[in-house]
Amino acid sequence: MATAETFSKIAKELGLEAINPGAFGNGYTGGANSSALSSYSPIDGAALGAINVATDADYEKVIAGASCAFAGWRTVPAPVRGAMVREIGDELRRNKSALGALVTLETGKIRAEGEGEIQEAIDIAEFAVGLSRQLYRLSMHSERPQHRMYEQWHPLGIVGCITAFNFPAAVWAWNAMIAAVCGDVVVWKPSELAPLTAIAMHKIAARVAEAHGHPGVFSLVIGDGPALGQKIAADHRVPLVSATGSTRMGRSVGEVVAKRFGKCLLELGGNNAVVVLNDADLKLCIPSTLFGSVGTAGQRCTTTRRILVERGIEPEFTRRLVEAYRQVRIGDPLKDGTLMGPLINAAAVESYQKAITQAQAQGGTVVYGGKVLADMPSSLYVEPTIIAANRQMKIVQEETFAPILYIIPVDNLEEAIAANNEVPQGLSSAIFTQSIKGAERFLNAAGSDCGIANVNIGTSGAEIGGAFGGEKETGGGRESGSDSWKQYMRRQTCTINYSDSLPLAQGIKFEL
């Protein structure tokens, strides 16, 4: 089935129109009189649909509606909020196939990855349901007699959620499902490269919220460019901004939010490395590296971009990896058997070509790939590329959002850890070894400096149960599991005096 036909079929299922509003709020739909933004499929360039982008007036109405909704939503008991989120997860499950196909159409991910992303949204909804009964607080012992001291957590307010094209559904869900059970409301600004997925996801969540009598918990504003994101970052009515994207974008958002003393949750670039020691099991390492470097056509923040391999095993590792790369089927991501689809747009292809040219100029050698593919449905298909490199090359310090993998020989584990840590980014890392000592050395305080560190699994494919995020220029934010929920709430320390006297802390005497 052609791309246009596939979209026409799922658009009816998901309630998408030929031209869609670009603003959805608390009983408000806007964008009808503004300029249109078109969504094109990177698969073959087909026009999927158009969006009338949100105007400044639309934005003001959405924020005002969200503020009004928060006033009521924050007083709803957390388990009741969780019950609503459970229904959202159920609706996502019922629409998983159509939503997964839409993700594929807008981003070029293979079908399994598209549906896998929707499954992540379902999983985080289920996680949030359980969390709604586990927003635990601490009780502390007061030094003053007949006093009780404890901390509690209250909702923050509006959470501004800015997402990137590569995960147009899951990253919003990571934020929105957790924020909702915490008592917050969410205003979502998605990437203009995947707006239809955002509209489809929002409609499902908003429909459930409205049925529960809380129509303003989820809002959506779509723009054409960075202006709306900048507006959210500068808005004092938005106490938390969660932004996913490039380091450049995150630096801009972070600075603006910091100036108004807001809170920022940044999920930015990754330049992720896999350490391969001489005793590594290549039956685990090769397929893991292949998925980590080629999955989503290298357009994940957790994509494997560097291999730090001990010299003793480097020739065999490279030979077997090249053999695995030769088996990667590139083409229409809607078709069964395809393992890699297109890049998102022409700018991404240009970045891919530029990085290869720079790597060669800096002493790197293309071991496999390196070409833009002809005879494809569009000009956005490229070969996954392996480049023999060294630590001194400037290009290996950068994140190129494309399927380029640098193989860098190292003498030992200590050099590998130093190389892993010397890049500006600090998201995901992994080591393949059969040595407990080697694994523990990689994981200890002097080992990997990344937010994610794995042993005998790759850098990509994080589970929702753990806190997701990284250090340094990755931004320091944490989303999804563990205690990441605390970022969506404000902490309050409370002390209750149930005595008939007024003892002061530290035994201070101050009597009239």
Side-chain angles (χ1 to χ4, degrees), residues 445-457:
S448 169
D449 65 358
C450 297
I452 299 170
N454 297 327
V455 176
N456 291 331
I457 60 171

Side-chain angles (χ1 to χ4, degrees), residues 36-53:
L37 165 71
S38 294
S39 176
Y40 297 94
S41 176
I43 297 173
D44 58 5
L48 301 179
I51 299 93
N52 285 321
V53 298

